[in-house]
Each structure stands twice: as C-alpha cells, then as structure tokens.
C-alpha cells in the first residue's frame, strides 16, 4: 500500500506551500497508470492529516485516463488497463501521452483571522491556485 507514502508526501508539500492556513479541501490529479487506489489514498490521507492543519480537509481526486500516440499512423488511443502500448493498426510502439500524472492541482484554505474566526460578516472560503506540483512517488 503505497498510498500512505503518497498521502504523506502530499501533506508535506501542502504544509510547505500554506504553512499557517487551515486547509478546507485539496484536489489531486492522478493518472490511471500510477496504480493508486483512490479509496486507499482517501483513507490514508485521513490518517496522515490527523493533527495537522489539513485535518478534516476534503480530498478530491480527479482521475486521468491513460492515452498514447502512434507515430506510425498518427492515431491517439486509450491505453486501457492493463495498458497496451502497441498500435493495433500498424504494429508500432506507442508514445504515452497521459495517465502517469500525480499532481496537486488545487488547495482551498479557510479565510480566518488570527483567532481562528471567520473574517467578514459570513464565513467564506478563499481559493488559491497554487502552482501545480508534482508529488514525488516513493
């Protein structure tokens, strides 16, 4: 189960990016060829985030289908699972285009004052699009 190490790496990167903010939600883009089980990652994220500013944050996972290109016939095709990286039409190897992503794409933090209360008349969320970050795969 490598999902726990992925969850810990994600939390480390988010804490580095927003060290003093409470995180409301976090969106990850994960390719189907990375072999991550979303339910296991969600479970691991909950365990790893406990006791941090990410505790209780909602984890959103966007999956990316595997896709490849054939230089021989110019066709783009889904790789499927398990992946097929050989063109069925012209029998040449395919170049992988998508499906190996493992990125942090969005972090939503709570807009709170220094005492932890919401700023303004009503509570509101502040969304910051952090630079897309590749999560190291351990």
């Amino acid at each position: 189960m490598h999902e726990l190490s992925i969850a810990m790496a994600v939390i480390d990167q988010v804490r580095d990016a927003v060290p003093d903010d409470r995180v409301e939600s976090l969106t990850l883009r994960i390719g189907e060829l990375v072999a991550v089980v979303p339910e296991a990652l969600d479970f691991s994220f909950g365990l790893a985030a406990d006791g941090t500013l990410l505790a209780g944050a909602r984890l959103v996972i966007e999956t990316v289908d595997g896709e490849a290109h054939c230089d021989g016939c110019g066709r783009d095709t889904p790789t499927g699972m398990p992946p097929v990286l050989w063109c069925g039409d012209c029998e040449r190897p395919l170049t992988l285009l998508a499906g190996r992503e493992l990125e942090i794409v969005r972090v939503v933090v709570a807009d709170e004052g220094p005492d932890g209360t919401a700023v303004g008349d009503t509570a509101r969320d502040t969304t910051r699009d952090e630079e897309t970050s590749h999560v190291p795969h351990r």
Side-chain angles (χ1 to χ4, degrees):
M1 183 167 125
H2 65 137
E3 285 82 358
L4 183 56
S5 65
I6 293 169
M8 293 171 66
V10 166
I11 289 168
D12 286 346
Q13 288 196 10
V14 171
R15 285 195 317 206
D16 289 347
V18 289
D20 300 323
D21 295 320
R22 187 174 60 79
V23 176
E24 298 265 323
S25 70
L26 171 66
T27 302
L28 301 178
R29 182 176 301 136
I30 301 175
E32 73 174 335
L33 303 178
V34 179
V36 169
V37 177
E39 294 82 10
L41 181 58
D42 190 49
F43 177 76
S44 297
F45 178 79
L47 292 176
D50 192 35
T52 72
L53 289 172
L54 285 85
R58 185 170 63 100
L59 178 63
V60 178
I61 298 174
E62 298 175 356
T63 57
V64 178
D65 293 337
E67 185 175 348
H69 176 78
C70 177
D71 289 333
C73 64
R75 183 174 67 103
D76 292 343
T77 183
T79 61
M81 277 303 286
V84 174
L85 298 174
W86 193 257
C87 182
D89 291 342
C90 64
E91 299 184 3
R92 295 183 67 168
L94 300 175
T95 303
L96 192 60
L97 300 175
R100 296 203 34 100
E101 298 83 354
L102 183 49
E103 305 166 318
I104 300 169
V105 293
R106 177 170 284 206
V107 176
V108 177
V109 297
D111 192 8
E112 297 177 338
D115 60 353
T117 58
V119 174
D121 294 335
T122 59
R124 62 186 170 88
D125 291 345
T126 301
T127 301
R128 287 190 219 161
D129 288 324
E130 299 295 331
E131 183 176 318
T132 299
S133 174
H134 179 76
V135 178
H137 206 170
R138 298 181 182 159

